Amino acid sequence: MTLYILTCSFLALQSLLIGKLMHCRRQMKKNIALAEERSNQVQAIAHLGLWEYHQKEDVLKWSENAYRIFGFEPFSVEPTIEHFLSLIHPEDAEEVRVNFGKTCEDCRSVSFRVIRNDQSIRHVYFNCTQAISGTDQPVIMQGVIQDITEIIETQQKAAVHEKRFDAVFNNSLDAITLINENGELICESPAFNNMLGFKQGEITGIKHAELVHSCDQDNLRAFLSELHDNPGVARYRKLRMKHKDGGYVWAEGKAVNLLHDHNVKAIVTSFRDVTRTLKTETSLKQSEINLRNILEHADVGYVLLDTQFNVMAFNTLAAKYASDTLRVIIKEGTYGISYFPVDKQKMMISLFQKALNGKSANCEVSYPGQDDAPVWYGVRIQGIQQADGRITGVIMSLTDITQRKLHDLQRARITADLVKRNKDHEQFAYMVSHNLRAPLTNIIGLCDLLQSHDIEEAIRKEFIHGMMVSAMKLDGVIIDMHAILSVKQGQEEKKEQVSMKRLLEDVKSNLLIPQDLEVKITGDFSQADGFYVIKAYLYSVFYNLLSNGIKYRREGVIPELSVQSRVSGGQLELLFSDNGQGIDMDRYGEKVFGLYNRFHPEKEGKGMGLFMTRCHAEALGGSISVESYVNRGSVFKVELPL
Amino acid sequence: MKQELQIIIIDDDPIHSRVCSYLVSTLNKEIAIAEFSNAADAFASIKAGYTNKKKSASTAVLLNINMPGMSGWDFLDALRLLNPGKLQGLSVYVMSASLDPADRIKALSYDRVKAFFMKPVTNQIIRGIIADVSVL
């Protein structure tokens, strides 16, 4: 374009110059050479050449630069009309021939191509600017010829560029518009029309604000002011635009204020229809909110971890459990394993790893809760499986099962108690049939024999004595039964503060120790002495265990007995150790504390001592156990609740 | 030919043992009687070959169940592990004060046990046992 303007101005300058030259030819002969040289320089710069045709003489003259335009060295050939015509591109020749005559008469111009000797093609502008005539007939025709190849090529390039731009503009998915300083649409891409349901050109020239949803007008104003304040900078926005059908679409994109650019003088906008994306996003968000709600209101604590066991998400309940029991505050994006106690981390890693490999795990764990009472959790660890089966993390669900666990424990206690009572019951039935009935059958048998007349006097006396012994034995069993039953019923008896040190002294003074027998009895109550208890029962425990220790001593070994008290796990533990004969636990283990069970037949005894000890320990809410080795001794452990 | 008979009484209750031995002696003075107040001693004696002193002898063991130390059940279990050759002609008669039918069933589950008698022991029971053993 610039080049074209330049050329035109030179053309005007040229005509002026030529006119002057003709008029002053004779007067300014001295200056001719100089002027010609200048003329030649100007011609070369402007790609201009001059021509002159003397019709009468049929002489054609070219200026130096005219030769060059046609591809010749200046004055190297003799220019003729035929010669000139032969240079014209065959496709343009006819037009030139037709217009040649007219050219001079009407002072018209024509452009055509010439083919130079080296076969290169140049675009040439040709005109006839003036005719000088002596008579009415023009004698001399003259004009300029100009090489316009570069102009033509530039124009062609611009045309290609514009076509390409149009192709992009028309085929872009983005809805592109140019808006002028008045807010009117200069042009809009087909995608824009398509987005809003208009035909091409239908909305060109209207105010773009009319296309924006009424609810987004403030938004638009703010956007425009932003663009106005930041010329040349892209700004992004999302707003609703009116569709031709009365609905609206969500458009998202950017705009650049190029009003200051003289070549553009517009705000350029490029937007896309994001209605569907937004709808999908909205419904996704909604389902996420729904899911959150479900999670928050579940009775289960959930923690989601990624494949590296980092915490991805968790619900409030899980956070509460973590803070209540592990005393930690869990945070998203942190390493999940680190919240567990060090001694449990290895196990958790292994469980999580298994879950990643598709194996879920269930376990029950207990932690000391806020008031140190144990809190139980049912823990389930499983992989987070995607629709395509891939496992992309681990989900850990925690259920507070403390209540259930307490019930379980209570049930187990009740069951154990029932089993024990049942066993007691069986034992009682056994006792009735064996221990109670045996002396009675003796009495019956002896009575029967005494009824016969031929019985010797000595034998009769023996049998009467036997009856007496059996009756005494029967009475003994009944007394035992009463003792046992009164223990079972006597749990309401009064408790009192008992010093075990004093109790031991009391028991020691009442033990039946054979004369000449040395016995060592020691007591260690440094850890616990005072004890609130039913004194008679504790006395029975001390008395029975200590008297057993003496009774079942080893021959030739001085009996050494010790009593030690200690507090462990909220219980009072009493340890009674002896160095006596011991009990064959493999053989009698189950029977040690049974009624009328005896393990040393050579010693006098009913098998009541340890049974009564157990009864009394249990009546105090405790238990008794024993560790014993034959010929080494026994350690009885009595555990009583404090 | 008249058979040699012997009776072993195993009971921790001396009165019961005495009644048994008296009844046996009133019925047949020829019968040898051995009384054991604990089963372990009786078992040791049998193991040592007490019963085989006379090859033609038949032996009746009157066994109590509920005894301290080795019980009647322990005795029967131990007997089962002995070489049957040593026990030729030996029969066991369980005598117990037990009212529990389970004890009778358990006692009779031992091949060696010929009968279960509930105490008190009577003339009739002893007569029956002697007759039973004599037939063998």
Side-chain angles (χ1 to χ4, degrees):
Chain A
M1 190 72 97
T2 326
L3 193 63
Y4 181 77
I5 295 163
L6 200 68
T7 315
C8 289
S9 52
F10 267 107
L11 281 172
L13 179 73
Q14 187 62 32
S15 357
L16 216 73
L17 201 62
I18 292 167
K20 269 195 176 163
L21 279 172
M22 289 305 178
H23 280 295
C24 304
R25 189 173 278 177
R26 284 182 185 93
Q27 290 97 324
M28 300 168 84
K29 260 186 184 171
K30 280 178 196 169
N31 294 333
I32 280 176
L34 185 66
E36 267 191 358
E37 203 185 318
R38 279 186 186 152
S39 167
N40 282 335
Q41 280 171 1
V42 170
Q43 287 178 39
I45 291 166
H47 301 290
L48 280 170
L50 301 175
W51 63 272
E52 228 174 79
Y53 180 59
H54 300 256
Q55 210 170 26
K56 220 170 184 179
E57 294 88 1
D58 188 27
V59 172
L60 183 64
K61 285 182 181 171
W62 288 343
S63 71
E64 252 183 59
N65 211 40
Y67 280 97
R68 288 194 191 99
I69 288 168
F70 290 120
F72 301 112
E73 280 299 310
F75 312 112
S76 61
V77 292
E78 183 78 15
T80 63
I81 293 292
E82 282 67 34
H83 194 185
F84 166 66
L85 290 174
S86 76
L87 291 168
I88 296 168
H89 194 288
E91 286 174 18
D92 300 340
E94 188 56 32
E95 199 190 342
V96 174
R97 219 186 300 272
V98 168
N99 287 305
F100 190 66
K102 286 179 192 171
T103 304
C104 298
E105 284 163 11
D106 306 337
C107 291
R108 279 185 183 169
S109 58
V110 66
S111 23
F112 52 86
R113 287 167 291 177
V114 297
I115 301 172
R116 286 178 175 176
N117 273 352
D118 61 3
Q119 298 303 310
S120 64
I121 294 169
R122 305 297 290 180
H123 292 265
V124 166
Y125 168 84
F126 181 90
N127 82 344
C128 179
T129 58
Q130 204 170 5
I132 299 165
S133 59
T135 63
D136 292 343
Q137 291 284 314
V139 184
I140 302 166
M141 290 189 281
Q142 58 184 9
V144 295
I145 92 169
Q146 186 188 13
D147 187 336
I148 55 165
T149 309
E150 282 169 23
I151 297 167
I152 294 288
E153 279 177 358
T154 307
Q155 280 173 349
Q156 279 173 351
K157 268 185 198 164
V160 167
H161 194 75
E162 199 174 322
K163 268 187 186 158
R164 281 181 186 161
F165 172 78
D166 282 352
V168 172
F169 185 76
N170 290 328
N171 294 299
S172 168
L173 267 178
D174 289 334
I176 301 164
T177 56
L178 269 68
I179 299 162
N180 68 13
E181 59 208 335
N182 299 321
E184 293 155 355
L185 290 177
I186 306 169
C187 67
E188 64 285 335
S189 72
F192 185 84
N193 286 313
N194 204 28
M195 180 169 86
L196 301 181
F198 293 106
K199 283 188 207 112
Q200 194 66 28
E202 196 176 345
I203 47 172
T204 311
I206 71 157
K207 295 262 189 191
H208 73 279
E210 289 172 25
L211 295 170
V212 173
H213 194 280
S214 54
C215 295
D216 270 330
Q217 288 294 336
D218 288 343
N219 187 11
L220 174 69
R221 269 190 289 279
F223 188 38
L224 288 173
S225 120
E226 218 176 271
L227 287 168
H228 185 263
D229 295 344
N230 300 281
V233 181
R235 291 280 154 175
Y236 297 82
R237 211 62 157 198
K238 187 157 70 185
L239 39 72
R240 277 160 290 181
M241 300 190 78
K242 289 179 197 160
H243 193 274
K244 193 183 180 181
D245 66 9
Y248 68 89
V249 293
W250 273 102
E252 184 178 27
K254 65 171 182 179
V256 190
N257 175 4
L258 294 175
L259 287 167
H260 61 284
D261 186 328
H262 293 294
N263 292 316
V264 184
K265 283 190 179 167
I267 293 172
V268 181
T269 75
S270 171
F271 276 77
R272 262 183 202 197
D273 185 347
V274 292
T275 314
R276 262 175 76 178
T277 322
L278 274 179
K279 270 185 187 161
T280 316
E281 271 176 18
T282 313
S283 78
L284 258 176
K285 241 179 218 167
Q286 189 56 49
S287 65
E288 202 182 307
I289 289 166
N290 291 344
L291 210 63
R292 262 271 141 205
N293 265 306
I294 293 170
L295 285 180
E296 287 304 329
H297 292 99
D299 293 339
V300 183
Y302 290 103
V303 182
L304 274 70
L305 303 118
D306 64 17
T307 51
Q308 307 301 309
F309 310 141
N310 294 316
V311 177
M312 290 195 290
F314 55 86
N315 65 357
T316 314
L317 204 55
K320 182 184 177 307
Y321 289 164
S323 118
D324 284 356
T325 56
L326 299 174
R327 314 281 194 269
V328 294
I329 295 163
I330 48 175
K331 286 193 187 102
E332 282 174 14
T334 52
Y335 186 49
I337 301 295
S338 65
Y339 294 116
F340 292 96
V342 177
D343 60 313
K344 294 198 175 164
Q345 292 187 351
K346 252 190 183 166
M347 182 189 77
M348 294 315 294
I349 290 174
S350 134
L351 289 175
F352 284 165
Q353 204 65 55
K354 274 184 190 158
L356 284 183
N357 295 330
K359 278 184 191 162
S360 61
N362 289 302
C363 60
E364 291 180 350
V365 292
S366 106
Y367 286 98
Q370 276 181 325
D371 48 1
D372 269 350
V375 178
W376 284 87
Y377 293 105
V379 183
R380 183 171 169 79
I381 296 166
Q382 61 189 128
I384 301 172
Q385 202 164 32
Q386 300 297 326
D388 60 3
R390 278 179 312 118
I391 292 176
T392 55
V394 177
I395 183 163
M396 181 167 68
S397 40
L398 303 153
T399 318
D400 187 339
I401 53 164
T402 310
Q403 284 305 314
R404 200 199 78 200
K405 213 66 195 177
L406 286 177
H407 287 151
D408 282 359
L409 288 173
Q410 207 169 16
R411 197 164 52 212
R413 257 204 305 274
I414 292 168
T415 308
D417 192 49
L418 282 175
V419 167
K420 196 176 77 63
R421 275 163 195 263
N422 204 32
K423 230 175 168 180
D424 287 349
H425 183 79
E426 278 173 18
Q427 209 164 26
F428 205 78
Y430 188 83
M431 190 185 80
V432 167
S433 70
H434 287 273
N435 304 82
L436 202 58
R437 206 168 164 264
L440 195 59
T441 58
N442 276 344
I443 293 167
I444 296 166
L446 289 168
C447 270
D448 190 36
L449 290 177
L450 285 170
Q451 276 172 353
S452 65
H453 299 288
D454 55 347
I455 193 161
E456 286 173 33
E457 183 55 23
I459 289 172
R460 200 179 63 87
K461 274 186 177 167
E462 188 198 338
F463 283 180
I464 288 170
H465 177 72
M467 276 179 74
M468 186 63 201
V469 171
S470 294
M472 295 289 279
K473 202 172 171 184
L474 185 61
D475 189 40
V477 174
I478 289 167
I479 288 166
D480 288 348
M481 276 177 69
H482 176 259
I484 294 163
L485 290 172
S486 55
V487 171
K488 300 264 174 187
Q489 291 162 353
Q491 293 179 13
E492 302 302 318
E493 277 190 42
K494 272 200 173 172
K495 289 183 175 183
E496 59 188 296
Q497 192 68 27
V498 175
S499 157
M500 285 182 281
K501 196 175 170 187
R502 243 178 276 158
L503 187 71
L504 179 63
E505 294 308 315
D506 197 4
V507 170
K508 266 160 95 173
S509 64
N510 285 320
L511 281 173
L512 295 171
I513 302 172
Q515 277 187 337
D516 308 330
L517 182 68
E518 193 190 340
V519 178
K520 285 181 187 169
I521 301 176
T522 55
D524 175 6
F525 304 105
S526 55
Q527 287 190 46
D529 184 25
F531 187 38
Y532 190 68
V533 71
I534 301 168
K535 189 178 176 181
Y537 289 0
L538 194 61
Y539 180 94
S540 156
V541 170
F542 272 64
Y543 184 88
N544 278 311
L545 292 176
L546 291 172
S547 68
N548 271 359
I550 296 165
K551 191 171 175 185
Y552 301 109
R553 63 186 179 273
R554 261 183 293 158
E555 208 57 55
V557 178
I558 297 168
E560 288 178 17
L561 312 174
S562 74
V563 189
Q564 193 200 344
S565 69
R566 65 186 187 199
V567 175
S568 168
Q571 286 193 311
L572 178 74
E573 279 184 12
L574 292 170
L575 298 169
F576 296 84
S577 312
D578 67 59
N579 60 344
Q581 296 176 11
I583 301 164
D584 185 347
M585 294 302 289
D586 290 336
R587 195 168 164 193
Y588 301 119
E590 286 179 15
K591 293 182 175 174
V592 172
F593 299 103
L595 178 59
Y596 293 138
N597 283 325
R598 297 175 56 219
F599 318 108
H600 304 282
E602 67 284 357
K603 297 271 181 185
E604 280 288 314
K606 290 191 292 183
M608 269 288 280
L610 286 179
F611 177 77
M612 284 310 292
T613 308
R614 192 192 94 190
C615 285
H616 285 132
E618 285 174 357
L620 293 173
S623 61
I624 185 168
S625 58
V626 64
E627 238 182 273
S628 186
Y629 299 96
V630 174
N631 288 330
R632 274 168 59 190
S634 310
V635 179
F636 287 88
K637 183 160 85 175
V638 179
E639 290 171 280
L640 300 170
L642 278 172
Chain B
M1 181 190 137
K2 204 178 178 185
Q3 266 186 317
E4 294 281 345
L5 282 185
Q6 55 181 6
I7 286 179
I8 301 171
I9 304 164
I10 307 172
D11 203 314
D12 61 319
D13 180 355
I15 294 166
H16 180 260
S17 278
R18 179 70 187 97
V19 171
C20 285
S21 64
Y22 174 78
L23 286 172
V24 171
S25 64
T26 55
L27 290 169
N28 188 341
K29 287 203 178 349
E30 302 295 309
I31 296 173
I33 301 168
E35 291 180 46
F36 291 95
S37 67
N38 82 69
D41 291 350
F43 180 73
S45 177
I46 289 167
K47 198 179 172 185
Y50 178 90
T51 55
N52 275 7
K53 279 177 184 163
K54 295 164 186 166
K55 279 205 168 176
S56 56
S58 289
T59 307
V61 175
L62 310 188
L63 179 69
N64 186 20
I65 292 297
N66 186 33
M67 292 180 286
M70 188 183 234
S71 71
W73 303 128
D74 295 337
F75 177 83
L76 287 170
D77 288 335
L79 215 56
R80 217 158 27 179
L81 297 174
L82 275 187
N83 179 3
K86 285 190 172 179
L87 304 174
Q88 201 105 45
L90 185 138
S91 306
V92 177
Y93 300 85
V94 172
M95 311 196 98
S96 171
S98 175
L99 298 168
D100 189 348
D103 284 338
R104 174 188 293 271
I105 292 163
K106 185 177 176 184
L108 293 174
S109 73
Y110 290 88
D111 288 343
R112 193 66 62 180
V113 174
K114 290 287 174 289
F116 180 96
F117 296 109
M118 200 184 283
K119 288 177 180 177
V121 65
T122 59
N123 193 339
Q124 218 170 351
I125 290 172
I126 299 296
R127 197 193 301 272
I129 290 170
I130 292 171
D132 195 30
V133 180
S134 304
V135 171
L136 290 168

